[in-house]
Amino acid sequence: MSTSIDDLLSFEEAPAEERTEARGGSRLRAMLRTLAVTAAITVVVVVGLRAVGLQVSLWIIVAGVLAVLAVRRVTAALSPPPPPRAGARAPVGEEPGTWNWASRDALRAAINGWERPLDWCAGNRERFTERVLPRLGELADERLRQKHGLTRESDPARARTLLGEPLWTFLGTPSRRPPSPRDLAAIVAELEKLS
């Protein structure tokens, strides 16, 4: 038997009657599955009710089970798709133009990690000294460690020189009042200048 390349690459749609038969078989299967599940749940409910001494009309139980199954099917059809797996690869190319509101945005999480404590300690010196100043010190130490291989604790003299006197003083001594947004911006700028 010989087959040409045209025969291998050609595509013919299945006739309409075959598609309707396949669809009809699928519907029949779904209906039989629904009937089986309804019967099983009905038996369990009837046995449970009889065990506690209650008698309810069989038609009411069947109607209730069918109603619950219908609600379950509708909610499953209307539910959003599951989130992508954490290790899944992102599609390459253009973005679809829609925003995934369920995704976790690392930038938003980082901003919230600073925004909340700063807002919470506004106008309160003790809170600023307890919550924000240690974080700024950790940032300075991490920046020093990455760029120069030291921390404020491991080599204080060199760290003081690299940080500069204003930043060293700010990180080392608690202020009498929380810094203004302009002062914080200057401190962050000094941290970013570390090279």
Side-chain angles (χ1 to χ4, degrees):
M1 177 177 181
S2 71
T3 305
S4 70
I5 193 109
D6 291 329
D7 291 338
L8 292 174
L9 297 177
S10 67
F11 172 75
E12 293 180 17
E13 280 195 29
E17 56 193 46
E18 287 180 20
R19 285 191 307 237
T20 56
E21 287 175 13
R23 208 179 310 143
S26 172
R27 284 185 184 166
L28 180 63
R29 226 175 290 128
M31 189 178 291
L32 287 174
R33 185 178 25 215
T34 303
L35 276 171
V37 169
T38 303
I41 294 173
T42 302
V43 167
V44 169
V45 169
V46 167
V47 168
L49 288 174
R50 297 270 164 91
V52 296
L54 295 174
Q55 287 190 346
V56 178
S57 172
L58 183 63
W59 296 113
I60 292 175
I61 295 172
V62 170
V65 169
L66 286 174
V68 168
L69 290 176
V71 168
R72 182 173 177 260
R73 186 172 188 166
V74 168
T75 56
L78 295 176
S79 68
R85 295 182 318 173
R89 292 180 56 165
V92 178
E94 282 190 35
E95 293 182 8
T98 59
W99 181 258
N100 183 2
W101 295 103
S103 70
R104 295 196 50 130
D105 186 9
L107 180 60
R108 171 59 38 205
I111 289 170
N112 286 344
W114 281 98
E115 185 179 31
R116 287 186 188 115
L118 285 171
D119 187 41
W120 183 65
C121 69
N124 190 330
R125 182 183 57 85
E126 288 105 20
R127 285 184 186 167
F128 180 81
T129 304
E130 289 174 5
R131 302 289 182 189
V132 177
L133 198 56
R135 284 185 177 186
L136 290 172
E138 289 171 10
L139 277 175
D141 283 339
E142 185 63 21
R143 191 83 172 183
L144 287 170
R145 187 191 63 75
Q146 287 178 350
K147 301 288 183 178
H148 303 283
L150 61 104
T151 62
R152 292 179 299 155
E153 188 175 293
S154 67
D155 190 355
R158 188 162 173 227
R160 185 176 199 153
T161 305
L162 291 169
L163 289 173
E165 197 58 40
L167 186 55
W168 176 265
T169 305
F170 175 79
L171 294 173
T173 57
S175 63
R176 288 175 283 187
R177 60 176 176 76
S180 68
R182 180 178 292 155
D183 295 338
L184 275 176
I187 290 164
V188 170
E190 288 296 319
L191 279 173
E192 289 175 349
K193 285 181 188 175
L194 276 176
S195 57

